[in-house]
């Protein structure tokens, strides 16, 4: 008989909500129940299996861990323009090791942020961010606006755990005390949770945001705004009144803003609107983040290099330049000559020209499951799943760090262990003493 | 003949759930090759649920199956495809110096594929 255990307060790392109130029923090495989790979280836990795969493959052949570490270290040391990418689905501890490797070998390091809220990162630097934690929003927000995001399908518990239905200190009746607005080009399932749905013509978010800024400042907006954006002037005027007169407003924004024409200008316009609104009331803005620890990746890169993504160490010190040091660009221009990909699958989600280059260069991949990227990798490591098998730190989308309580161990090493082994071997090959004084 | 439309790639519940089963699973493969369309657009192109369509952008083309959404949900001229290997075939590598390729509002030509092809 397999023993049945209950793990309380387990953390789901499938999306950036990082819900840490999950109650797991564990039978042997299967999770049979994940109480409190949403549909996505339930699938994350209950579909988790320990894959029957070798710990490593080198050129498609089964290899011992140490042999694969050696192969990976040699690829990195011998390359002239290595790129390290991914990192949003692993622990902060593993992310630190990746930054260390980048530093030692003069690599380019970038995370999946560059293809989700990278443009928002650029906008934060340009405009600034009026921020809050989700706890504060839960307790205070009486006007909640989602712009260009579909939390009902991408972050299902965002509504119920943080921002729409929960009762809070200053919103004691929960949902009844809040007005919820959804702005999007599609009427997604999230619209059902909203009091007001505003449908914008595709690619016209910037125009709508700029018109709102004008109205907030009491400037006239011509009525052809409706023809231009699909949104009637009266709807915008009504929204502006609500925004100025709420006690605590929040604008959550998703990739509907960043992945469309305008990119960082769209995010920047939204942040500027929030800044303007602070003349009248308290208003905050938060990007809604996708992967479990993409926010951790931003934090770790920021505290270690000074920049959140798109960092290049080739001159021996960190430089930041989106467009130059972002991975899609490096690959699409054919610049990188080796890639270390951690917990990410660019071979299935990058644009085609970038994937074509990835197929031409030696790729080292770390992932718990077979992916399109592990398929094309020269060296592929099978690693343990963070949150389910591995402990460590993860940042929720509001930059709150949360510690993971794993359900059961895995026979595979963690990303952190594999990366540390690669780091140590890289240092040996380059004859660099390790920072703790130990010479290997 | 095909028609020009705007393609939005994004997340969906089914895409997220099937992702956990595995990228090579039949569930995931089906989800990421199912295009959601406005029913009026489908009628005009002579398409019904499950028919095959070719999507062609400036950089590439893919063949997927289409499925109708309510006209209110998806305006005419806009189609939705869950993120995945099919949607990436249509994305260009140019990021306008931001790092971010465009995956929403990609201009595509949508064309029915004869079933005997
Ligand atoms: S909302 Fe996100 S973190 Fe919470 S249970 Fe669902 S998938 Fe997991």
């Amino acid at each position: 008989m397999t023993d049945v255990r209950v793990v309380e307060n387990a953390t789901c790392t499938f999306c950036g909500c990082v819900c840490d109130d999950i109650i797991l029923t564990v039978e042997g090495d299967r999770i049979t129940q994940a109480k409190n989790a949403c549909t996505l979280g339930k699938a994350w836990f209950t579909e988790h299996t320990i894959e029957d795969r070798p710990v490593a493959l080198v050129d498609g052949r089964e290899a011992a861990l140490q042999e694969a570490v050696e192969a990976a270290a040699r690829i990195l040391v011998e390359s002239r323009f290595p790129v390290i990418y991914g990192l949003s689905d692993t622990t902060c501890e593993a992310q630190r090791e990746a930054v260390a490797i980048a530093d030692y070998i003069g690599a380019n390091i970038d995370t999946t942020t560059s293809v989700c809220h990278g443009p928002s990162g650029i906008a934060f630097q340009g405009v600034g961010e009026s921020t809050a934690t989700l706890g504060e929003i839960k307790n205070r927000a009486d006007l909640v606006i989602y712009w260009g995001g579909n939390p009902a399908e991408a972050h299902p518990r965002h509504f119920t755990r943080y921002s729409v239905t929960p009762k809070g200190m200053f919103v004691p009746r929960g949902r009844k005390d809040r007005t919820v607005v959804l702005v999007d080009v599609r009427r997604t399932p999230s619209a059902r949770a909203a009091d007001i749905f505003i449908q914008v013509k595709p690619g016209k978010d910037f125009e709508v945001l700029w018109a709102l800024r004008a109205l907030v400042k009491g400037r006239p907006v011509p009525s052809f705004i409706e023809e231009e954006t699909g949104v009637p002037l009266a709807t915008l005027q009504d929204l502006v009144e609500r925004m100025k007169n709420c006690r605590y407003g929040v604008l959550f924004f998703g990739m509907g803003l960043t992945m469309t024409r305008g990119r960082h200008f769209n995010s920047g316009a939204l942040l500027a609107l929030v800044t303007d609104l602070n003349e009248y009331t308290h208003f905050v803005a938060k990007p809604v983040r996708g992967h479990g620890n993409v926010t951790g990746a931003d934090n770790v890169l920021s505290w270690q290099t000074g920049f959140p993504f798109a960092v290049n160490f080739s001159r021996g010190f960190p430089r930041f330049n989106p467009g130059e040091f972002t991975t899609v660009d490096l690959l699409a221009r054919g610049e990188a000559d080796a890639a270390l990909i951690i917990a990410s699958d660019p071979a299935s989600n990058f644009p085609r020209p970038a994937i074509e280059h990835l197929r031409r260069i030696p790729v080292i991949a770390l992932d718990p499951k077979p992916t399109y990227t592990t398929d094309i990798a020269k060296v592929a490591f099978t690693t343990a799943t963070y949150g389910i098998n591995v402990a460590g730190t993860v940042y929720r989308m509001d930059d709150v760090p949360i510690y993971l309580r794993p359900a059961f161990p895995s026979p595979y090493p963690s990303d952190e262990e594999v990366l540390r082994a690669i780091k140590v071997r890289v240092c040996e090959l380059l004859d660099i003493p390790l920072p703790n004084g130990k010479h290997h | 003949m095909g028609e020009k439309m705007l393609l939005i790639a994004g997340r969906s519940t089914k895409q997220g759930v099937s992702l956990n089963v595995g990228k090579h699973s039949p569930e995931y493969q089906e989800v990421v090759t199912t295009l959601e369309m406005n029913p009026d657009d489908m009628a005009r192109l002579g398409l019904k649920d499950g028919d095959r369509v070719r999507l062609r952008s400036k950089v590439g083309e893919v063949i997927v199956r289409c499925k109708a959404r309510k006209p209110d949900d998806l305006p005419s001229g806009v189609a939705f495809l869950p993120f995945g290997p099919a949607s990436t075939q249509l994305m260009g590598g140019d990021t306008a110096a931001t790092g971010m390729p465009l995956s929403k509002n990609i201009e595509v030509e949508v064309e029915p594929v004869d079933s005997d092809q």
Side-chain angles (χ1 to χ4, degrees):
Chain A
M1 218 190 93
T2 45
D3 71 316
V4 178
R5 284 186 307 120
V6 172
V7 180
E8 302 229 349
N9 299 323
T11 302
C12 176
T13 50
F14 183 71
C15 88
C17 283
V18 193
C19 300
D20 56 351
D21 61 345
I22 315 290
I23 304 171
L24 301 178
T25 307
V26 185
E27 298 183 28
D29 60 4
R30 282 303 294 238
I31 296 167
T32 50
Q33 268 186 54
K35 214 175 142 224
N36 293 339
C38 69
T39 321
L40 298 175
K42 281 199 168 52
W44 164 251
F45 285 112
T46 59
E47 294 291 345
H48 175 77
T49 45
I50 300 286
E51 303 264 341
D52 187 17
R53 280 207 297 160
V55 65
L57 295 169
V58 177
D59 289 320
R61 257 183 324 99
E62 199 170 325
L65 182 60
Q66 204 42 50
E67 183 192 346
V69 166
E70 178 69 28
R74 287 202 179 268
I75 290 170
L76 292 173
V77 167
E78 284 160 16
S79 63
R80 297 180 56 211
F81 196 162
V83 53
I84 302 179
Y85 176 77
L87 295 167
S88 55
D89 273 319
T90 190
T91 60
C92 292
E93 290 76 2
Q95 291 162 351
R96 285 176 62 170
E97 296 295 345
V99 179
I101 295 173
D103 194 354
Y104 287 131
I105 62 174
N108 195 97
I109 185 163
D110 184 37
T111 76
T112 64
T113 280
S114 66
V115 296
C116 71
H117 271 291
S120 306
I122 300 171
F124 288 144
Q125 293 171 344
V127 183
E129 179 189 19
S130 164
T131 184
T133 63
L134 291 171
E136 201 182 332
I137 289 162
K138 170 183 165 176
N139 279 311
R140 293 175 187 274
D142 60 343
L143 176 64
V144 180
I145 306 174
Y146 287 92
W147 198 302
N150 178 13
E153 292 200 87
H155 311 86
R157 293 184 76 208
H158 204 276
F159 290 154
T160 51
R161 196 163 138 80
Y162 302 111
S163 47
V164 173
T165 48
K167 296 187 166 76
M169 202 181 294
F170 301 101
V171 275
R173 297 181 306 152
R175 179 67 183 88
K176 289 197 195 80
D177 285 334
R178 307 185 207 263
T179 303
V180 179
V181 182
L182 180 77
V183 186
D184 206 344
V185 296
R186 290 187 297 147
R187 180 185 282 273
T188 62
S190 297
R192 278 197 291 275
D195 301 299
I196 300 168
F197 172 61
I198 299 176
Q199 193 158 11
V200 179
K201 278 191 192 168
K204 295 294 175 185
D205 301 273
F206 181 88
E207 286 79 351
V208 176
L209 287 162
W210 222 248
L212 288 171
R213 288 196 70 197
L215 291 171
V216 167
K217 288 175 188 264
R219 304 273 161 77
V221 169
S223 57
F224 66 72
I225 189 79
E226 175 167 1
E227 200 188 318
E228 181 69 16
T229 64
V231 187
L233 182 54
T235 305
L236 296 177
Q237 281 162 335
D238 172 65
L239 182 60
V240 164
E241 283 316 303
R242 290 175 191 275
M243 291 193 294
K244 280 166 120 173
N245 294 311
C246 70
R247 269 183 302 135
Y248 186 112
V250 54
L251 253 163
F252 288 114
F253 57 110
M255 298 190 293
L257 280 185
T258 59
M259 287 185 171
T260 186
R261 198 175 146 262
R263 300 179 183 90
H264 53 296
F265 289 106
N266 299 335
S267 305
L270 183 139
L271 294 171
L273 170 64
V274 168
T275 304
D276 297 345
L277 284 165
N278 277 286
E279 294 281 329
Y280 301 91
T281 184
H282 192 84
F283 227 100
V284 297
K286 277 311 278 178
V288 180
R289 306 302 306 270
H291 292 281
N293 198 24
V294 66
T295 308
D298 289 3
N299 276 280
V300 171
L301 256 73
S302 295
W303 90 53
Q304 297 219 325
T305 75
F307 306 108
F309 64 99
V311 181
N312 186 285
F313 279 101
S314 61
R315 290 196 185 150
F317 55 88
R319 288 180 297 152
F320 167 73
N321 199 11
E324 185 179 11
F325 302 137
T326 31
T327 311
V328 167
D329 304 84
L330 290 179
L331 293 175
R333 285 193 302 256
E335 290 172 355
D337 64 350
L340 168 59
I341 314 279
I342 302 122
S344 171
D345 191 14
S348 85
N349 57 37
F350 270 10
R352 186 180 160 165
I355 297 175
E356 278 164 5
H357 186 66
L358 204 55
R359 289 178 177 281
R360 286 193 287 265
I361 60 176
V363 171
I364 304 154
L366 278 66
D367 209 291
K369 286 193 166 145
T371 65
Y372 287 81
T373 305
T374 60
D375 287 351
I376 63 167
K378 191 170 170 61
V379 183
F381 293 93
T382 307
T383 53
T385 304
Y386 81 135
I388 297 184
N389 312 127
V390 181
T393 312
V394 160
Y395 278 69
R396 201 167 67 188
M397 63 170 82
D398 55 347
D399 299 283
V400 170
I402 290 173
Y403 199 72
L404 303 172
R405 288 168 208 83
F408 53 86
S410 156
Y412 299 107
S414 65
D415 293 326
E416 183 190 358
E417 287 163 335
V418 172
L419 291 171
R420 187 177 308 116
I422 294 175
K423 177 186 77 177
V424 168
R425 189 61 193 131
V426 159
C427 288
E428 284 170 2
L429 291 169
L430 294 174
D431 209 19
I432 301 169
L434 281 169
N436 55 12
K438 273 193 254 148
H439 209 99
H440 324 304
Chain B
M1 250 323 279
E3 263 191 39
K4 285 222 182 317
M5 294 194 187
L6 291 179
L7 179 78
I8 300 176
R11 293 198 176 105
S12 73
T13 308
K14 277 192 181 163
Q15 177 249 0
V17 168
S18 62
L19 194 62
N20 285 305
V21 183
K23 288 260 172 104
H24 297 320
S25 69
E27 290 94 321
Y28 178 80
Q29 294 298 332
E30 189 189 325
V31 171
V32 297
T33 53
T34 303
L35 179 77
E36 294 177 7
M37 290 182 71
N38 174 289
D40 302 336
D41 294 348
M42 280 177 61
R44 208 176 40 252
L45 288 165
L47 291 165
K48 48 187 190 333
D49 276 6
D51 281 356
R52 297 196 306 157
V53 289
R54 178 180 289 109
L55 299 176
R56 191 181 291 120
S57 75
K58 273 196 203 112
V59 292
E61 60 174 72
V62 284
I63 292 178
V64 293
R65 292 197 184 269
C66 63
K67 196 173 149 244
R69 281 291 292 258
K70 282 206 271 23
D72 270 3
D73 294 358
L74 211 52
S76 172
V78 180
F80 175 81
L81 186 64
F83 280 138
S87 68
T88 62
Q89 289 294 313
L90 304 167
M91 287 159 60
D94 182 18
T95 74
T98 63
M100 169 68 87
L102 293 183
S103 56
K104 315 270 188 206
N105 311 329
I106 306 173
E107 280 179 25
V108 289
E109 201 182 305
V110 182
E111 184 186 30
V113 180
D114 294 337
S115 43
D116 50 5
Q117 261 184 15

